Amino acid sequence: MFQRELIGPHYTSNAFEESVRNPSVNSSKCSPAIELVGVSYGYAKKDLPVINDITFSIPQGQWVALVGANGCGKSTLVKLMNALLPKGEGTIKVKGLELQSDTIGEIRKTIGMVFQNPDNQFIGATVEDDIVFGLEGQCLSIEVMEERVKSYAAKLGIADLLDKHPSELSGGQKQRVAIASILSMEPEVVIFDEASSMLDEKTRNDLLNILSDMHKSGRYTIISITHDAQEIAASERVLVLQEGKLIADRTPTELFQDEKILEMSHVIAPFAFQLTTELHKYGLDISIPNCEKELTEALWPLHLRK
Amino acid sequence: MAITFEKVNYEYDANSMWGQAALQGVNLHLESGVLAGIAGATGSGKSTLLQMFNGILKPTSGTVRVLDITLRGGEKAPKLHQLRKRVGLVFQFPEQQLFEDTVEKDLCFGPINFGCSMDEAKDRARSAMEKMGLDVSLLSRNPFQLSGGQMRKVAIASVLAMDPEILVLDEPTATLDPVSRAELIQLLHRLCREEGRTVIIVTHRMDELLPFANQWVILHEGRTVFQGTVKALIEQADQMEAYGIVIPQSIRYWRAISEKFGLSGEDPCLSAEAMSKRIAQLVNSEDV
């Protein structure tokens, strides 16, 4: 019956009230979703640490973008959070629970991960099998599993695809299936490891909408590793890694306006930010336009002034 | 003319009842020395088209002319050895095609197969590394110990080492970080501008290629629905959505500015630098 409570459509607008009623979410509200203190990690002892003394905490419900150049340690860092890599130095707490060999099971239930290439996480022969695989691993009853498959397939718009073999799906559809498989296990923290980088522009926007909906529901803490300017702009907070060190922790707008950090993080700002920065060099100061109309409206009076 | 397609059709499994048309009546003209971008939604036939450029796939019907070699649908293909030497194809995730235990051996593999001596192959390897902006000291390294971006560049260098006249790349920048992406596009642009090679790039991110490409091809459901210059592309940008392509930000902004300030006859400025320079000229000019 406890499971029943969880089944509702969680990322609709009333989902947050539901999670308040839910005792398991409520009890852990006081501690941050993820807390890292002095975390370091190296793949081999002689090598330099890939992750170097990182400390931060992420409150429940926050949407964090993790950015940095190729090879700066982003993936390593998130893999440490759910023990896909052996423990290094420092402490990692997930919902107040310290990550240790006896808590790995509990913590992995809390964290769901979506990877770059959905092909790498397909297991089932059909979409439905694939979603069910994770649920079976959680030893749920058949009724609960059916209910979850139905509700999450509907939410991600893949209800028509349940009987298909993964090879019949397009890249964007596969990524939706991967997300449905993860969300149906009802994790509280969802990590997207460059989940959008293989998708085309249109499917990338679809994924962004899914992330926004998830965020609005207030039910998920989201960590997304990304290079995509739009995805960064939609998040609440950006953590910048460089050579395994945390070099900046700020809002997307602050990041996009700081050319030095942008360069270090290998991020390129959205076009509107780039344009505003460039215009500033010509002595034209306008606020960052949200669309092209705002730009021309801001420029026109400057033009008429002459 | 580097590449000409006339009414090219291509069907997968053409002889079975499950035949599936991937290209339909494709006409294409690409001059030598252009930097061309090919865009289109997933499943629009981009990769099929790409594989026809060096004869991996042959037309079911129609005529494909690449350099001085002609492939006609239904006819026996001529010897393709020369074609494959002159048209270098770089597939998606080219780093997956690295296999040797040093970078140098990997780079020499192609030239030696096409009949170069070991010394000549080594020279070519060295110059290909330099062209890709890679340090020659990496030649003795194991390719699998390089970073993702370096591996990608080495893989492209291994195709360059064959000294192709036409270089065709399928989403060369996917999964690279934005700065490495911009660097790679600039390198490819330089190969086109300074060495006169024809460079054809299939891309999902039109934004990053727009300031450089002088020709665009848009595919939709196996047909070429657009072919022409950036300027013509901007004029027809409204149709892009119907082809499953999101209109790039730079095009949106340029269109708004050129409408407002009456610049429709001008060559578009599509990088933030160029566009803001043009805006500054407009706004600060006295004589309007």
Side-chain angles (χ1 to χ4, degrees):
Chain A
M1 31 124 280
F2 168 69
Q3 302 295 359
R4 279 281 159 202
E5 270 235 28
L6 282 166
I7 294 161
H10 286 296
Y11 66 95
T12 55
S13 49
N14 64 348
F16 184 65
E17 294 163 34
E18 232 176 279
S19 61
V20 173
R21 271 189 278 130
N22 183 330
S24 77
V25 175
N26 218 5
S27 62
S28 44
K29 261 194 110 175
C30 39
S31 42
I34 303 270
E35 195 176 6
L36 271 65
V37 180
V39 172
S40 294
Y41 184 82
Y43 282 97
K45 278 206 179 109
K46 60 185 164 58
D47 283 357
L48 284 167
V50 182
I51 293 297
N52 197 343
D53 192 18
I54 286 187
T55 301
F56 63 77
S57 96
I58 301 175
Q60 136 75 21
Q62 198 170 48
W63 179 357
V64 178
L66 186 57
V67 307
N70 288 129
C72 71
K74 305 181 294 286
S75 296
T76 306
L77 184 64
V78 294
K79 281 180 187 157
L80 287 169
M81 291 178 191
N82 70 344
L84 286 180
L85 289 171
K87 194 170 177 287
E89 279 169 55
T91 54
I92 297 174
K93 281 186 186 170
V94 178
K95 309 231 65 147
L97 191 64
E98 190 176 339
L99 180 61
Q100 273 163 340
S101 49
D102 58 340
T103 55
I104 286 179
E106 195 55 38
I107 282 173
R108 284 197 179 146
K109 254 187 236 170
T110 316
I111 302 184
M113 269 180 117
V114 179
F115 296 97
Q116 187 176 61
N117 188 346
D119 281 331
N120 295 347
Q121 67 188 66
F122 261 117
I123 292 161
T126 65
V127 169
E128 185 167 16
D129 282 356
D130 203 66
I131 300 177
V132 167
F133 179 83
L135 304 178
E136 282 176 341
Q138 292 190 340
C139 307
L140 301 174
S141 70
I142 291 191
E143 298 80 57
V144 174
M145 286 198 269
E146 279 175 351
E147 187 61 43
R148 294 232 187 139
V149 168
K150 223 171 97 191
S151 90
Y152 284 94
K155 259 176 240 184
L156 287 148
I158 53 166
D160 301 341
L161 307 175
L162 286 174
D163 298 331
K164 297 231 183 223
H165 186 266
S167 67
E168 292 175 82
L169 308 179
S170 72
Q173 288 170 333
K174 281 183 194 166
Q175 199 57 281
R176 280 168 180 270
V177 172
I179 295 171
S181 306
I182 299 301
L183 294 191
S184 67
M185 292 190 279
E186 315 211 312
E188 289 166 52
V189 178
V190 186
I191 299 173
F192 292 86
D193 189 353
E194 293 200 40
S196 71
S197 70
M198 305 232 321
L199 303 177
D200 64 45
E201 190 99 17
K202 223 175 173 128
T203 25
R204 218 166 31 234
N205 288 344
D206 291 344
L207 180 66
L208 199 57
N209 289 336
I210 293 172
L211 281 165
S212 301
D213 284 351
M214 284 173 58
H215 177 60
K216 271 186 228 143
S217 78
R219 190 174 184 276
Y220 301 100
T221 303
I222 302 171
I223 302 175
S224 76
I225 297 184
T226 182
H227 298 302
D228 186 64
Q230 260 186 303
E231 204 177 314
I232 297 171
S235 70
E236 289 176 285
R237 174 181 174 195
V238 191
L239 299 175
V240 183
L241 284 191
Q242 190 192 33
E243 288 171 12
K245 287 205 172 83
L246 185 65
I247 58 161
D249 177 355
R250 50 191 67 190
T251 66
T253 314
E254 285 165 358
L255 172 77
F256 290 142
Q257 287 171 334
D258 187 334
E259 283 195 68
K260 206 173 132 214
I261 298 285
L262 270 181
E263 205 187 310
M264 283 168 30
S265 61
H266 275 210
V267 167
I268 290 180
F271 194 76
F273 278 84
Q274 289 180 41
L275 201 59
T276 330
T277 310
E278 288 295 321
L279 283 171
H280 177 74
K281 292 180 187 161
Y282 291 99
L284 298 173
D285 288 314
I286 56 163
S287 53
I288 297 146
N290 282 318
C291 65
E292 54 273 25
K293 194 152 171 275
E294 279 188 33
L295 173 72
T296 51
E297 275 167 8
L299 289 172
W300 198 243
L302 293 175
H303 179 60
L304 292 179
R305 197 183 57 198
K306 298 287 162 180
Chain B
M1 196 72 79
I3 295 176
T4 311
F5 277 47
E6 276 166 28
K7 293 183 196 146
V8 171
N9 291 308
Y10 184 79
E11 259 180 67
Y12 283 99
D13 294 322
N15 296 326
S16 79
M17 58 190 288
W18 291 278
Q20 210 176 2
L23 294 178
Q24 299 177 49
V26 169
N27 292 311
L28 194 67
H29 301 279
L30 292 172
E31 303 272 353
S32 292
V34 294
L35 176 58
I38 301 181
T42 312
S44 60
K46 300 187 297 286
S47 299
T48 308
L49 184 71
L50 198 91
Q51 292 177 64
M52 296 197 127
F53 291 157
N54 78 348
I56 292 178
L57 299 177
K58 298 172 193 81
T60 311
S61 66
T63 310
V64 172
R65 234 174 254 117
V66 180
L67 300 166
D68 50 12
I69 295 145
T70 305
L71 298 168
R72 280 197 188 83
E75 284 180 18
K76 193 173 181 299
K79 283 229 158 59
L80 296 173
H81 191 70
Q82 277 302 315
L83 182 63
R84 301 220 161 118
K85 193 171 157 186
R86 293 166 68 188
V87 181
L89 227 58
V90 181
F91 292 105
Q92 261 185 50
F93 309 113
E95 56 274 23
Q96 293 174 358
Q97 68 198 36
L98 297 171
F99 64 98
E100 287 280 13
D101 57 6
T102 69
V103 170
E104 188 172 40
K105 280 191 198 166
D106 228 311
L107 262 63
C108 290
F109 180 82
I112 286 174
N113 267 286
F114 284 120
C116 284
S117 69
M118 195 59 187
D119 285 343
E120 199 188 339
K122 282 186 174 173
D123 278 350
R124 286 193 180 195
R126 191 167 283 269
S127 98
M129 288 291 276
E130 281 165 0
K131 277 176 201 161
M132 287 311 295
L134 290 163
D135 199 305
V136 285
S137 68
L138 294 180
L139 280 169
S140 57
R141 291 269 294 274
N142 183 317
F144 301 101
Q145 286 171 357
L146 304 175
S147 78
Q150 285 173 327
M151 277 167 81
R152 179 78 50 102
K153 285 183 191 167
V154 165
I156 296 174
S158 74
V159 175
L160 269 185
M162 291 186 268
D163 197 22
E165 287 159 60
I166 302 178
L167 187 63
V168 186
L169 307 103
D170 195 355
E171 300 218 36
T173 63
T175 73
L176 292 182
D177 70 52
V179 170
S180 318
R181 279 209 298 264
E183 274 174 17
L184 184 55
I185 295 283
Q186 274 160 20
L187 279 167
L188 295 170
H189 182 226
R190 203 177 306 147
L191 286 177
C192 173
R193 200 186 53 214
E194 290 172 8
E195 302 188 7
R197 284 178 217 272
T198 309
V199 178
I200 302 170
I201 302 173
V202 168
T203 182
H204 271 145
R205 298 170 194 264
M206 295 181 73
D207 257 321
E208 62 190 20
L209 195 56
L210 274 167
F212 303 104
N214 36 30
Q215 280 283 314
W216 280 94
V217 176
I218 294 187
L219 287 177
H220 179 59
E221 294 176 353
R223 296 170 197 274
T224 34
V225 288
F226 174 85
Q227 193 194 342
T229 60
V230 181
K231 215 167 136 183
L233 180 69
I234 292 176
E235 280 160 20
Q236 298 181 34
D238 287 329
Q239 289 164 29
M240 283 160 84
E241 305 241 317
Y243 304 140
I245 301 173
V246 177
I247 302 177
Q249 289 285 317
S250 53
I251 291 191
R252 285 180 177 279
Y253 279 90
W254 175 255
R255 284 213 309 178
I257 290 161
S258 71
E259 262 169 44
K260 195 87 176 173
F261 294 92
L263 310 176
S264 52
E266 268 185 39
D267 280 333
C269 304
L270 293 173
S271 65
E273 291 83 9
M275 200 183 291
S276 50
K277 192 174 167 196
R278 189 72 191 92
I279 292 172
Q281 283 168 358
L282 289 166
V283 173
N284 294 331
S285 70
E286 303 285 332
D287 53 3
V288 182

